[in-house]
Amino acid sequence: MPLVTVSNVTKEYTSGEETIRPLDGVSLSIEEGDYASLMGASGSGKSTLLNLIAGIDRVTSGEIFVAGTDITKLSRGKLADWRAANIGYVFQTHNLIPVLTAYENVELPLLLLPLSAAERRKRVEIALEAVDLTSRASHYPRQMSGGQEQRVGIARAIVSNPTVIVADEPTGSLDDETTEQILQLLTRVNSELGMTLLMVTHDADAGARAKRQIRLERGRLVENGKVTSTANLRTA
Ligand code: ADP
Ligand code: MG
């Protein structure tokens, strides 16, 4: 069974009289250990789909199974607990908390889980080591470069050993050299740590680094040039 199964998912947003439907019957599966990139033009629904899989947003209809749990059936409270245990999220801008050190930023998601202080320390140290920032543990975000901050952001995403890592334009605000570092790190997170990754990007070069490319194109989900589902941007 795939690790993630998106089944006939529709998402509508209504404001006033207007309803838009960025996702209309989207189906997708992601196997454990996969590294998939989700590409498409601005406004094509990439972030919407990512946030539905991450349990941040709710579907209008359809089902999303992650490791056997249909997350569309969870209450809001249960979904928050599920997310803390199962999703690592890498943001475009790292979203680090400025008054916390690198160590404390990485530890933050672990405070939502039932772990001892010793277990938390061990996991934070492993995550900082994985992104090669052990020597920066006591530094604050303002004392780090953009690339280092994003590496802390990746450490924070992997520290809980989540079921899936989702990344929304993780290189969107970085220069070319730093982008290359972060893409190499994401590849290692997949190949060496064995983590399953879904990365949204509008950058074709970045997307090509994943093992598999999926595209939302004029509202349709396309893989390897083949339309795999119906999805559209039309006004409903
Ligand atoms: P992408 O990430 O591909 O740029 P999004 O998923 O952010 O696209 O957005 C897809 C469409 O849904 C856009 O038309 C956007 O304006 C709309 N949209 C996204 N989030 C919301 C929201 N919370 N409320 C209303 N419309 C939204
Ligand atoms: Mg987006």
Side-chain angles (χ1 to χ4, degrees), residues 4 6 11 47-59 63-66 69-89 164-166 198:
V4 177
V6 174
K11 178 65 181 175
S47 296
T48 299
L49 182 54
L50 190 84
N51 290 337
L52 292 174
I53 292 170
I56 288 167
D57 206 352
R58 312 296 307 244
V59 300
E63 293 172 338
I64 299 176
F65 286 88
V66 181
T69 300
D70 181 356
I71 63 170
T72 65
K73 301 292 190 292
L74 299 178
S75 67
R76 274 187 189 274
K78 284 246 167 63
L79 189 61
D81 291 344
W82 174 85
R83 201 163 53 226
N86 290 279
I87 296 294
Y89 203 110
V164 188
I165 309 272
V166 298
L198 176 62

Side-chain angles (χ1 to χ4, degrees), residues 76-141:
R76 274 187 189 274
K78 284 246 167 63
L79 189 61
D81 291 344
W82 174 85
R83 201 163 53 226
N86 290 279
I87 296 294
Y89 203 110
V90 181
F91 300 87
Q92 173 172 354
T93 51
H94 48 76
N95 276 4
L96 301 180
I97 299 190
V99 296
L100 299 182
T101 63
Y103 183 98
E104 291 163 344
N105 268 285
V106 174
E107 186 183 31
L108 211 53
L110 297 184
L111 300 175
L112 299 169
L113 301 175
L115 296 172
S116 68
E119 179 65 18
R120 279 206 307 275
R121 168 163 289 275
K122 195 171 100 193
R123 291 205 194 187
V124 173
E125 284 171 356
I126 291 169
L128 283 171
E129 174 70 31
V131 301
D132 198 20
L133 282 179
T134 303
S135 63
R136 296 276 174 167
S138 61
H139 288 218
Y140 290 90

